[in-house]
Amino acid sequence: MKVGLIGDSLTEGRPGVSFYDLLKHQYPHISFDNLGNPGETIKSLFTRLEKMPLQSSYDLLILWIGVNDVYSKLLKVQAQPVAKDHIEFEEYCLKVLEKAHDASKNVVLVSPALVGEDLQNPSNKEITQLTPVMESISMKSGNVYFVNMQNLFKDHLEHLECSGFINTNVIRVLLDVLFYKSPLRIDKLSQKRGLHVTLDGVHLNSKGADLVAQQYSSIIELYKVEGDKIGRS
């Protein structure tokens, strides 16, 4: 079985703890391709797939995208172009899903989880608005299984006292990549910042990576049961 994981730095696994590494350990007999690219937005992902089409044929292709279309608005420097509104996001997302279907009959679209652990901040409200748009896109595209990742994290955080910390300093993000590589160090910094599931409000600590790995595991187990019927109503 071959599974492709498309996304941004959350999929790549840096900074923070890698859910990809957890999946590889859990499923040693599955071949995983990590196609995460730091800073990726829906527009930059489309450009990447235009220039470098997916070469492999995958049994399952999981696409987690969209957080940088929200998060990068908080940064002084935007490494990649962001969708100007939900209409443009939908336009590019449909194109990306077309290219994903060229490499797999079974595509999963995952919505962004968090920008900051304060669920009521403006960025998370924007993700809440983007999520049904992505669900609608998955239905329009056809044969796409949709996962609401924000709900998963909300269920974990809603009864906890959450810090408003979000790292919006690009240099600080790079320093986190360089100096915080072990899960133990990452979790200690996360705790110091008052965070529960992330290192910096976006990238995952051990708990966050575990939540994502469990969700991806449920998708893989569903595929094992349903096969090519996954995502088909």
Side-chain angles (χ1 to χ4, degrees):
M1 181 176 175
K2 190 167 187 178
V3 178
L5 308 176
I6 302 180
D8 45 45
S9 57
L10 291 166
T11 297
E12 186 198 38
R14 296 186 308 159
V17 178
S18 170
F19 72 85
Y20 164 73
D21 288 343
L22 298 179
L23 286 174
K24 285 196 300 179
H25 179 76
Q26 183 178 355
Y27 295 103
H29 301 300
I30 291 179
S31 173
F32 290 98
D33 277 357
N34 188 329
L35 305 170
N37 189 42
E40 199 84 286
T41 63
I42 193 66
K43 292 178 76 171
S44 68
L45 176 57
F46 172 71
T47 301
R48 172 159 65 116
L49 296 179
E50 276 274 274
K51 292 178 179 177
M52 296 181 293
L54 295 168
Q55 297 299 315
S56 295
S57 179
Y58 296 98
D59 298 294
L60 187 61
L61 198 56
I62 306 176
L63 168 60
W64 191 15
I65 196 68
V67 73
N68 285 313
D69 286 272
V70 179
Y71 175 51
S72 63
K73 294 174 185 176
L74 302 178
L75 307 178
K76 290 182 180 177
V77 177
Q78 291 185 355
Q80 303 290 357
V82 300
K84 63 184 178 183
D85 53 33
H86 289 166
I87 295 172
E88 186 172 50
F89 187 96
E90 178 176 340
E91 175 190 340
Y92 276 88
C93 194
L94 285 167
K95 291 177 182 178
V96 165
L97 289 172
E98 271 184 44
K99 293 187 176 299
H101 272 304
D102 289 340
S104 178
K105 290 187 287 185
N106 304 295
V107 177
V108 179
L109 179 63
V110 182
S111 67
L114 297 168
V115 175
E117 295 189 8
D118 174 4
L119 299 173
Q120 299 306 315
N121 73 31
S123 295
N124 283 325
K125 288 180 179 178
E126 185 174 347
I127 289 175
T128 300
Q129 294 169 355
L130 180 61
T131 298
V133 173
M134 293 182 72
E135 184 172 17
S136 172
I137 290 167
S138 71
M139 294 173 68
K140 288 179 183 178
S141 179
N143 298 340
V144 174
Y145 185 77
F146 176 74
V147 172
N148 185 332
M149 191 66 83
Q150 189 185 49
N151 273 355
L152 179 71
F153 279 76
K154 275 183 176 178
D155 288 345
H156 185 78
L157 291 172
E158 61 184 354
H159 300 302
L160 299 174
E161 186 176 336
C162 294
S163 164
F165 182 91
I166 307 174
N167 189 359
T168 58
N169 184 316
V170 176
I171 300 300
R172 179 68 255 183
V173 173
L174 293 174
L175 290 173
D176 285 352
V177 172
L178 291 172
F179 296 110
Y180 292 88
K181 295 181 180 180
S182 78
L184 183 61
R185 291 202 72 208
I186 288 165
D187 292 345
K188 282 184 177 178
L189 181 58
S190 173
Q191 186 176 25
K192 184 179 178 181
R193 291 169 170 174
L195 299 168
H196 301 283
V197 292
T198 65
L199 165 66
D200 52 16
V202 176
H203 302 97
L204 307 171
N205 65 12
S206 291
K207 181 60 185 177
D210 188 55
L211 286 172
V212 175
Q214 286 180 41
Q215 179 62 69
Y216 275 49
S217 175
S218 342
I219 296 167
I220 290 167
E221 294 303 321
L222 181 64
Y223 172 77
K224 286 181 177 180
V225 173
E226 296 196 0
D228 290 346
K229 294 180 182 178
I230 188 171
R232 289 152 177 78
S233 55

